[in-house]
Amino acid sequence: MTMLQRPHRPPSGGDLTDVEASVEQLVFVRDDEYTVARMSAEGLPAFVASGRALAGVQPGETLRLSGEWEEHPRHGGRLVVRRCERVQPSTVRAIRLYLGSGLIRGIGPKLAHAIVSHFGERTLTVIDTEPERLTQVVNIGATRQAQIVRAWAEQKAVADLMVALQGFGVSPLLAAKIYQVYGDEAREVLVSDPYRMIGQVRGIAFHTADRIALRSGVPEDSPRRVRAAVLDRLEAAAGRDGHCYLPLPSLLAAAAGLVEQDDELVRRGVDALAAERRVVVEASPSDPEQVVVYAKEQHGREVALAGHLARLTRARSTLPLRGFADDPGLDDDQRAAVNLVLTSTVSVLTGGPGCGKSHTVKVIARTVRAMGGTVTLTAPTGKAAKRLSELTGLPAMTVHRMLARRAEPDDGALFQQSPVEADLIVVDEASMLDLQLATRLAAAIPDGCHLLLVGDGDQLPSIGPGSVLADLLRVPEIPRVRLTHVFRQAQDSGIVRAAHRIRAGELPALPGHGGFWFEELDDPAKVAERVVHLATEAIPRKQKIGPDQVQVLCPTRKGATGTAELGRRMQERLNPAREGVAEHWSGPSVFRVGDRVMPIRNNYDKGVFNGETATVTEVNGQERLVEIRTDDGETVRYTFDELDELTHAYAVSVHRSQGSEYPFVVAPIVAEAGGVMLHRRLLYTLVTRAKAWVVLVGDREALELAVHRLGRRRNTGLARRLALGLAPSSAYRPHDLA
């Protein structure tokens, strides 16, 4: 950080001071909201302010700060802020900075200069009370004037929400998200029904809503509070652990602990939610003597998916079978897979790396096309679809785009009809299918179409709730073939050999060779330093490649070796702040042109999906937008208030790397990744993401733990529902919810 001159002390010469200053630039924001900012004030040299009290401040804002001057051992003098209050800028310079900062959408530095030059110190009063006068300024017509008035009203409303949130002891960073959802009703919802925000406003879970409610006078034993806790625990189980349901005793204990009330009160809350049809209570799929609880949405999707898969399995094939030429390059299992797909309307193809899944899919697709049938190849992410296309030599698309796509004149013969009406639909990397996407897919496929799910059953399950591929493999009535023969060209790969040993619960040969390498280090801080060095300097220099060919994968997000810290350090090395180059801080993340990013939520309106990768191409402060270009070539825009839907992709979790393959992978394996995060499926998935080399850096004991520990199984009922639906006497019908 560039050193700035220390401001003058107060006249008394004491350490405590109050100062009114404008935010010139954010320097650093930490996960705990500790913020460092460059400030300017009338009559004082530029200075640095720091502290958690600055949480949520933005460049251009004017603040009244209270704190004390302190000498930092590395960065020199700064104002350590104890209290921060937003105030309306009063000087011409502060008003110009405020309007030109991008806080008011549609006003950039040039227009701000023109407006302030015209109205002077009365500028903000004019905008607030006489906005029609804005048209007196050159380049402001009726349309621009209306846009400024709307943006001004939004900014005032968000600022009021920030003050209210601070009064409740809640992060002001949530204000823009609350306003985005509720608009002019936001203040009313915040005060009168804070639990309503759970699940509707990103970043607000039970603890946040509960703090607001309790400070607003809601009793601790309020039925509304208890019901909110029950729904929160179901949502947390789905989002954090991928569970579709919770056993009733587990749910009662979790919710009771959250509200610090007795189980009986929580049980009454569950009964009330069941009566309102917001949860479903039924017998456990694994033990009819036990009771489980689903959130309504998860239950509906699971029932619907089982019903649609049963429908597709029982349907009569429309595939035009006319015989096919046997491929001499296939082994017996691959040949069996081809026959299975041609004769079964729903089937599964599994196998580890080097076992020929992609070649088998290629033969299946070409066979169906040779018969006069049509084939659609898909995968859950853009990278996986691109890889599938490269391996088979045939067009492929994401499942999302397939479901949304209509036939277009320039699609060529392959897609003259809707892709979901093909004779065969192949879904590669099917372990990534969560319950929601799988339900949408199955609901869209017509009777008679063949569905082939291809995936590695030993990889991690989907990021979202459910365990679709694993559940199907537990249903004997679903036809499947597992490829086990490792072909000769793959046998020489250290990655393939290590992966198969890990899958078998055996430690790979260490330190490794031929594509797999383990470097032993015990100290997490040194592991982090080594991982960053390997990824940004050592491997690119030795292999004569760009750093973009090396991907850092992490078992967890937190800690010295988590995605957040390693990603920050990678960004500092590869895309640091540059003078005159626009950037925008969103919480503890700063977005710059050239950053590698990844959506972490499906956004059907934007056409982007969880796990895709992209590059930031523009940061527009005036329009408050960040523009990205996905690896599929699509240009997508996010407003500044939507940036929590993006994460940096310098270091990504193993879970989010599914479906992707990288030339070189570097990963930390340390005990601080914590227990439950280190297990065999995670390590196996991590190693199989690398194409040329995977380098693991860390603790040998942690590596052994990962090899030998089995991950926890998700709570799902799909296998049981599907088995019932395929039983000969079943009258099972799909519930039409997708």
Side-chain angles (χ1 to χ4, degrees):
M1 183 176 67
T2 304
M3 275 301 305
L4 297 171
Q5 185 177 356
R6 178 175 179 163
H8 299 305
R9 291 176 178 267
S12 64
D15 286 333
L16 299 178
T17 191
D18 292 329
V19 61
E20 188 171 300
S22 297
V23 183
E24 295 281 349
Q25 182 184 7
L26 294 180
V27 177
F28 178 71
V29 182
R30 209 163 57 193
D31 276 346
D32 64 358
E33 299 184 348
Y34 175 84
T35 301
V36 179
R38 290 190 177 98
M39 311 291 297
S40 62
E42 287 287 317
L44 292 176
F47 65 97
V48 171
S50 65
R52 293 185 64 187
L54 293 172
V57 303
Q58 292 292 313
E61 289 186 309
T62 297
L63 312 172
R64 184 173 292 120
L65 306 175
S66 296
E68 59 265 5
W69 300 113
E70 182 180 274
E71 195 71 26
H72 190 278
R74 287 181 57 196
H75 304 302
R78 64 175 60 190
L79 178 65
V80 179
V81 179
R82 305 304 180 195
R83 186 168 57 85
C84 169
E85 178 187 356
R86 288 170 172 81
V87 296
Q88 184 164 293
S90 56
T91 68
V92 168
R93 183 186 183 280
I95 294 170
R96 186 182 295 118
L97 178 65
Y98 175 69
L99 291 182
S101 66
L103 283 169
I104 309 301
R105 183 178 285 109
I107 301 181
K110 290 183 178 179
L111 189 56
H113 187 275
I115 295 172
V116 177
S117 295
H118 190 83
F119 296 113
E121 293 183 354
R122 296 198 70 252
T123 295
L124 299 185
T125 302
V126 169
I127 297 175
D128 199 31
T129 62
E130 303 175 89
E132 66 279 358
R133 292 183 59 193
L134 286 170
T135 56
Q136 298 173 7
V137 180
V138 176
N139 294 327
I140 297 183
T143 302
R144 176 65 66 85
Q145 183 259 359
Q147 179 187 14
I148 293 172
V149 170
R150 284 195 303 272
W152 173 258
E154 289 178 8
Q155 177 62 19
K156 284 184 64 180
V158 170
D160 288 343
L161 281 174
M162 294 179 88
V163 173
L165 288 170
Q166 286 178 311
F168 288 120
V170 172
S171 170
L173 294 173
L174 295 168
K177 300 172 188 176
I178 297 171
Y179 186 83
Q180 196 174 24
V181 174
Y182 301 113
D184 293 339
E185 297 179 4
R187 184 63 182 265
E188 177 64 23
V189 171
L190 180 68
V191 174
S192 65
D193 193 10
Y195 295 116
R196 178 180 165 189
M197 297 187 293
I198 301 173
Q200 294 184 359
V201 179
R202 298 187 304 273
I204 294 187
F206 179 82
H207 284 294
T208 301
D210 194 46
R211 172 175 289 188
I212 297 170
L214 292 176
R215 293 197 177 188
S216 299
V218 174
E220 292 186 359
D221 62 351
S222 163
R224 181 176 52 165
R225 180 174 185 246
V226 171
R227 291 197 299 270
V230 170
L231 293 175
D232 177 82
R233 291 301 84 195
L234 288 173
E235 177 65 27
R240 183 186 62 240
D241 300 319
H243 295 315
C244 294
Y245 66 81
L246 282 178
L248 179 59
S250 299
L251 176 60
L252 294 179
L258 204 58
V259 295
E260 297 182 337
Q261 301 293 317
D262 60 73
D263 285 9
E264 184 55 38
L265 183 64
V266 177
R267 183 184 290 273
R268 291 200 296 270
V270 173
D271 291 341
L273 289 169
E276 297 169 5
R277 298 187 177 181
R278 298 175 69 186
V279 302
V280 176
V281 181
E282 63 182 30
S284 167
S286 57
D287 182 358
E289 299 299 318
Q290 301 296 318
V291 174
V292 302
V293 183
Y294 284 83
K296 174 187 174 183
E297 293 79 10
Q298 305 298 352
H299 184 268
R301 289 175 184 139
E302 196 174 85
V303 170
L305 178 56
H308 285 300
L309 287 173
R311 167 181 63 82
L312 293 172
T313 301
R314 288 174 161 170
R316 179 171 298 185
S317 171
T318 58
L319 191 65
L321 289 173
R322 294 205 299 250
F324 65 94
D326 192 8
D327 187 313
L330 299 180
D331 69 8
D332 290 344
D333 286 342
Q334 290 176 305
R335 197 170 291 109
V338 176
N339 280 304
L340 187 71
V341 174
L342 295 179
T343 56
S344 303
T345 48
V346 176
S347 56
V348 178
L349 175 63
T350 69
C355 292
K357 293 192 301 295
S358 297
H359 181 68
T360 305
V361 169
K362 180 178 180 179
V363 172
I364 290 170
R366 290 185 173 176
T367 299
V368 171
R369 295 181 71 188
M371 292 177 173
T374 55
V375 180
T376 297
L377 300 183
T378 71
T381 66
K383 273 196 171 183
K386 182 179 180 181
R387 180 166 168 256
L388 177 63
S389 180
E390 291 170 349
L391 291 171
T392 62
L394 298 170
M397 67 175 71
T398 65
V399 176
H400 308 277
R401 302 207 195 290
M402 178 190 72
L403 294 174
R405 191 164 184 167
R406 299 177 183 273
E408 299 173 1
D410 60 350
D411 275 344
L414 186 62
F415 295 126
Q416 283 300 311
Q417 61 185 39
S418 170
V420 293
E421 294 176 359
D423 296 296
L424 169 65
I425 294 174
V426 179
V427 182
D428 197 18
E429 298 287 355
S431 62
M432 299 177 66
L433 287 176
D434 63 15
L435 189 59
Q436 181 181 24
L437 182 57
T439 304
R440 293 184 65 232
L441 169 67
I445 299 175
D447 290 353
C449 173
H450 287 229
L451 172 63
L452 170 62
L453 300 177
V454 183
D456 189 339
D458 294 308
Q459 287 188 18
L460 288 170
S462 56
I463 295 176
S467 188
V468 174
L469 181 64
D471 283 347
L472 263 64
L473 291 171
R474 285 196 284 269
V475 180
E477 292 82 0
I478 297 294
R480 83 287 306 276
V481 168
R482 181 182 181 91
L483 304 180
T484 58
H485 175 69
V486 180
F487 285 87
R488 191 181 342 178
Q489 59 268 34
Q491 290 176 359
D492 294 332
S493 166
I495 294 172
V496 171
R497 288 201 300 273
H500 282 279
R501 286 184 66 88
I502 292 167
R503 184 175 63 82
E506 300 173 359
L507 195 68
L510 300 180
H513 63 279
F516 174 85
W517 191 260
F518 177 70
E519 184 172 322
E520 190 166 0
L521 278 176
D522 291 335
D523 181 8
K526 292 182 178 178
V527 170
E529 183 179 342
R530 181 61 175 163
V531 166
V532 172
H533 175 71
L534 285 169
T536 60
E537 297 181 37
I539 292 177
R541 183 175 62 247
K542 184 173 182 179
Q543 299 295 330
K544 296 180 173 57
I545 58 172
D548 60 331
Q549 298 296 298
V550 185
Q551 181 63 56
V552 172
L553 301 181
C554 305
T556 187
R557 181 183 181 277
K558 297 182 179 180
T561 60
T563 58
E565 176 62 17
L566 288 183
R568 182 188 65 79
R569 294 175 66 164
M570 296 275 291
Q571 184 188 33
E572 287 179 356
R573 295 277 187 95
L574 300 175
N575 195 26
R578 300 181 299 280
E579 192 71 30
V581 176
E583 63 179 33
H584 178 74
W585 284 86
S586 176
S589 300
V590 59
F591 291 88
R592 304 181 180 118
V593 172
D595 278 339
R596 293 291 291 163
V597 294
M598 176 182 289
I600 57 174
R601 293 183 182 86
N602 296 338
N603 190 317
Y604 296 99
D605 293 332
K606 296 182 186 297
V608 294
F609 305 101
N610 195 340
E612 290 185 321
T613 49
T615 302
V616 175
T617 54
E618 182 182 5
V619 177
N620 188 325
Q622 180 171 333
E623 297 301 324
R624 298 183 62 77
L625 291 170
V626 168
E627 182 180 272
I628 67 172
R629 186 169 182 82
T630 70
D631 290 345
D632 288 346
E634 301 288 334
T635 297
V636 183
R637 288 186 164 188
Y638 286 83
T639 68
F640 285 176
D641 296 335
E642 297 173 319
L643 289 178
D644 62 343
E645 293 189 19
L646 290 178
T647 187
H648 288 90
Y650 294 106
V652 301
S653 69
V654 179
H655 232 133
R656 296 194 189 282
S657 72
Q658 284 181 274
S660 298
E661 189 178 63
Y662 313 97
F664 297 87
V665 166
V666 183
I669 303 292
V670 297
E672 78 160 5
V676 295
M677 296 307 298
L678 285 174
H679 55 81
R680 188 181 303 168
R681 286 181 184 270
L682 181 140
L683 182 62
Y684 176 78
T685 303
L686 188 164
V687 169
T688 55
R689 296 310 89 203
K691 189 174 182 179
W693 274 91
V694 57
V695 180
L696 307 181
V697 182
D699 181 358
R700 182 184 175 112
E701 289 185 7
L703 181 65
E704 292 176 348
L705 174 68
V707 169
H708 297 303
R709 171 179 279 162
L710 298 176
R712 290 183 296 183
R713 183 167 161 177
R714 292 183 170 184
N715 297 336
T716 69
L718 178 62
R720 174 178 171 273
R721 296 185 199 281
L722 185 53
L724 289 173
L726 294 174
S729 60
S730 172
Y732 209 69
R733 295 289 181 269
H735 177 65
D736 218 23
L737 172 67

